[in-house]
Amino acid sequence: MSEFTTIVTSDKDATNPYLPEIGIIKKVVKETAGIKSFQVVLKDEEKMKRFKFKPGQVAQLSVFGAGESTFAISSSPTRPEYFQFSVMMTGENTSALHELLEGDEIGVRAPLGNWFDYEMMKGKNIVFVGGGIGVAPLRSLILFMLDNRSDYGDLKVIYGARTPNDLCFSLDLKDWQRREDIDLILTVDTDFPGWEGKVGFVPVVLGEEDPSPKNTIAITCGPPIMIKFVLHELERIGFGDKQVITTLERRMKCGIGICGRCNIGYKYICVDGPVFTMEELKELPNEM
Ligand SMILES: Cc1cc2nc3c(=O)[nH]c(=O)nc-3n(C[C@H](O)[C@H](O)[C@H](O)COP(=O)(O)OP(=O)(O)OC[C@H]3O[C@@H](n4cnc5c(N)ncnc54)[C@H](O)[C@@H]3O)c2cc1C
Ligand code: FES
């Protein structure tokens, strides 16, 4: 279990890790037609000051009366004024979340799970490969690395969505396009009037870019079908299993290794993941 797990809930009731902390939505940002980002603070200011997380960790967010779901934290711990979730509307709970406004309260159980091993990545080049809302946990690590820029080598981001209007985090994308210390490649599935980026699926664009595996870590997150082809492509390019990192999405309930809802073989995605190296994934039964 992560060293940070239940840091919030344990203050409140050490015997009941299911009790959420109360969060207040400070700002809602409409990213795309179906995705909104929520900037959240804990209602208890002392707990907010002590709230710590690492890029890659997730939260269980509850809308009272609707339900609880898992979301990656899409902000960076280097910017601690709030923590952010970027939510794609898919069903009941995410629709209820999309109804919420600034000032509304939500339940927060966080931080949960493991994280990207950014210490191990120091001195290395990093290739981020993201698709759709899967870019949310990558954003946390990208901002973290930009805020600790001298610790890392070249940063390359390959990010794709169906159309230009489906790309999240437009302000960040503009910033990364402008900066010289990060290389951003955007792609969309089909051409669009006025679009100046690439056209093609993310794994194909990754193959065209052909990043050198030398002293490089590749991190990918996105729809399962995209991840599958990206992993094949990285292997073809010459990335070793220890150089490839991905996150797994498995439906969760408790989020703390108790209910057995999220396991693949002997691993619980909620505590052993969601972040895995390719080497670790190859040891798991093929249930994905
Ligand atoms: C580790 C992890 C991190 C996640 N991070 C994010 C994130 O940053 N942003 C985000 O928008 N979503 C994220 N998700 C997915 C999110 O948890 C689901 O979309 C959400 O639980 C759906 O709840 P709902 O009640 O709205 O949908 P439901 O009514 O329960 O389901 C609606 C549809 O969504 C599908 N669905 C539900 N849960 C999942 C899931 N876990 N994975 C894939 N499909 C699912 C269902 O099969 C169904 O087709 C993450 C999931 C996990 C496990
Ligand atoms: S969600 Fe309960 S064990 Fe992982």
Side-chain angles (χ1 to χ4, degrees), residues 30-65:
K30 189 168 165 98
E31 303 283 0
T32 71
I35 299 175
K36 284 183 179 174
S37 287
F38 298 87
Q39 297 176 2
V40 177
V41 296
L42 296 180
K43 191 171 185 180
D44 184 321
E45 287 177 15
E46 283 309 309
K47 285 180 184 169
M48 184 63 203
K49 278 186 204 146
R50 282 184 281 124
F51 182 73
K52 299 261 186 298
F53 68 94
K54 296 186 177 189
Q57 288 194 293
V58 302
Q60 290 286 74
L61 291 192
S62 43
V63 183
F64 304 117

Side-chain angles (χ1 to χ4, degrees), residues 8-38:
V8 177
T9 50
S10 61
D11 280 355
K12 186 164 188 169
D13 182 348
T15 61
N16 190 349
Y18 294 102
L19 268 185
E21 198 53 53
I22 302 297
I24 298 181
I25 296 173
K26 294 308 268 186
K27 190 169 176 188
V28 182
V29 179
K30 189 168 165 98
E31 303 283 0
T32 71
I35 299 175
K36 284 183 179 174
S37 287
F38 298 87

Side-chain angles (χ1 to χ4, degrees), residues 196-253:
E196 291 177 357
K198 300 232 175 205
V199 177
F201 294 127
V202 168
V204 176
V205 173
L206 169 66
E208 288 166 6
E209 287 294 313
D210 200 25
S212 166
K214 196 173 167 208
N215 192 37
T216 302
I217 299 287
I219 308 172
T220 184
C221 191
I225 187 72
M226 184 210 88
I227 292 184
K228 184 176 164 190
F229 286 105
V230 165
L231 295 179
H232 280 306
E233 200 55 35
L234 288 169
E235 195 169 21
R236 187 195 64 75
I237 293 171
F239 280 80
D241 290 346
K242 288 190 174 138
Q243 293 174 273
V244 176
I245 294 171
T246 187
T247 65
L248 288 187
E249 280 198 12
R250 199 68 162 187
R251 278 227 178 195
M252 294 183 186
K253 216 167 180 69

Side-chain angles (χ1 to χ4, degrees), residues 60 251-263 268-271:
Q60 290 286 74
R251 278 227 178 195
M252 294 183 186
K253 216 167 180 69
C254 71
I256 51 176
I258 293 175
C259 73
R261 179 74 177 79
C262 69
N263 75 302
Y268 289 119
I269 305 305
C270 65
V271 287

Side-chain angles (χ1 to χ4, degrees), residues 126-194:
I126 314 292
V127 178
F128 296 91
V129 187
I133 188 60
V135 78
L138 300 184
R139 177 184 188 261
S140 176
L141 186 60
I142 294 167
L143 294 181
F144 178 89
M145 289 185 168
L146 288 174
D147 290 346
N148 293 279
R149 190 64 193 87
S150 58
D151 286 344
Y152 300 96
D154 295 342
L155 301 181
K156 184 193 266 292
V157 179
I158 301 170
Y159 171 39
R162 273 184 304 167
T163 73
N165 293 334
D166 295 313
L167 291 163
C168 289
F169 310 130
S170 57
L171 287 180
D172 295 314
L173 299 183
K174 277 195 194 111
D175 184 41
W176 303 344
Q177 252 160 349
R178 198 177 35 81
R179 289 177 73 136
E180 307 231 314
D181 57 356
I182 182 166
D183 182 19
L184 175 67
I185 290 131
L186 295 175
T187 184
V188 294
D189 292 353
T190 46
D191 208 356
F192 210 78

Side-chain angles (χ1 to χ4, degrees), residues 69-72 86-88 90-94 249-251:
S69 310
T70 318
F71 300 99
S86 303
V87 177
M88 185 164 78
T90 52
E92 199 177 330
N93 199 35
T94 47
E249 280 198 12
R250 199 68 162 187
R251 278 227 178 195

